[in-house]
Amino acid sequence: MTALHLRAVVLPDGVHRELWVRDGRISLEPVPGATTVFDGGYVLPGLVDAHCHVGIGADGPVELDEAAAQAEADRDAGTLLIRDCGSPVDTRPLRERADLPRIIRAGKHLARPKRYLPYLADQLENEEQLPAAVAEQVAYGDGWIKLVGDWIDRSVGDLAPLWSDEALAEAIATAHRLGARVTAHVFGESALPGLIAAGIDCIEHGTGLTDDTVEMMARHGTALVPTLINVENFPSFAAAATRYPAYAAHMTDLYERADRTVAKAIEAGIPVYAGTDAGGGIAHGLLADEVLALHRVGMSAEQALGAASWAAREWLGWSGLEHGAPADLVCYDADPRKDLTVLGHPKRIVLRGNVVG
């Protein structure tokens, strides 16, 4: 493995310094004979997409080669760490590809029959099966569990919770006992109190947050990944739901107040991270768009960058650009703190100590 050398302003510290890479790790001490691959500009810890689906395409599960192409698109945009928030495809073989982003897998979505997208979830006939299913997914995944917290209930014609508070408490306790964290897909309001009270670690989307549940999340330390670029699809979800006018009206309302909802979460100090929801209806490689959206709703430029880089890496248990850390980094010609659009144009990408872009 070739030793590398970089000279740049290193974020988040904002200090101009030199970095070396040897044996796939960062060194703050000179490495003789290292090849200079970046000189000038700015360096960030590898970007993080905290809500991504490698293995899901427009029509459902995809073959492994297409899943790899999805991961390549994310990598080429600077995303070097993915929290895969549920996939029906076993993507563990992609670990053998040193040129692909690191993937933290949540295993398969856990849902009830006819209460999520077809073919994407393990569908449990009754909620008493949930703790055992959680234990199975802990063994299969990489430390995260993905629940479907709410979805349209055709018997009522609107969003409704999938699980009782008691089932959630037992399932989340099971995951925590086994060393895993739990997150949940939630669009509406009614599923949130039970999930937060049960000790869930993260909420995905969270468009139904109210003042009360924002306060609950802040008190419990629950994280939020709002996937704002996916929320832009809510009007089309509503338009397609011609048989369910209550659901359509609800989704329209959630969409119209989404920016204010996420702004309140940010103001309350809830940890918020950048996730695209890529897979299915969202293309891969759009993390920079999500960062811009987080800035639009109230994050400072530096906070929005951290939500997609150093802060997200710390939340997920990965280091930044410290001495001895894995050499996953992205370089830019200009300062992304001054112009967030720079994030979409990486100049140099280093993954596992190798130049991949």
Side-chain angles (χ1 to χ4, degrees), residues 64 68 90-103 105 351-352 354:
L64 199 60
D90 184 357
T91 57
R92 286 176 291 184
L94 299 184
R95 292 172 175 169
E96 300 172 9
R97 290 267 306 266
D99 63 325
L100 294 182
R102 304 176 194 269
I103 302 176
R105 297 164 44 260
L351 174 61
R352 295 182 177 89
N354 296 309

Side-chain angles (χ1 to χ4, degrees), residues 23-114:
D23 298 328
R25 294 193 172 270
I26 293 169
S27 173
L28 300 182
E29 300 171 355
V31 176
T35 301
T36 299
V37 295
F38 190 69
D39 192 354
Y42 297 79
V43 175
L44 271 70
L47 301 184
V48 180
D49 190 335
H51 185 130
C52 190
H53 300 283
V54 176
I56 297 178
D59 299 316
V62 300
E63 297 297 328
L64 199 60
D65 58 349
E66 186 172 343
Q70 293 173 344
E72 288 173 352
D74 290 316
R75 176 205 64 202
D76 292 346
T79 296
L80 305 183
L81 180 63
I82 290 170
R83 185 180 66 135
D84 192 302
C85 270
S87 176
V89 176
D90 184 357
T91 57
R92 286 176 291 184
L94 299 184
R95 292 172 175 169
E96 300 172 9
R97 290 267 306 266
D99 63 325
L100 294 182
R102 304 176 194 269
I103 302 176
I104 300 171
R105 297 164 44 260
K108 297 180 180 179
H109 299 74
L110 297 176
R112 300 294 303 280
K114 299 181 180 180

Side-chain angles (χ1 to χ4, degrees), residues 200-250:
I200 199 162
D201 301 280
C202 184
I203 296 294
E204 311 298 319
H205 318 301
T207 43
L209 283 167
T210 64
D211 290 348
D212 287 343
T213 47
V214 164
E215 190 277 331
M216 282 184 71
M217 285 186 69
R219 179 159 35 90
H220 284 259
T222 315
L224 173 66
V225 181
T227 66
L228 287 166
I229 63 172
N230 184 34
V231 173
E232 293 299 320
N233 289 318
F234 279 23
S236 64
F237 297 164
T242 54
R243 294 175 56 193
Y244 303 102
Y247 168 81
H250 196 178

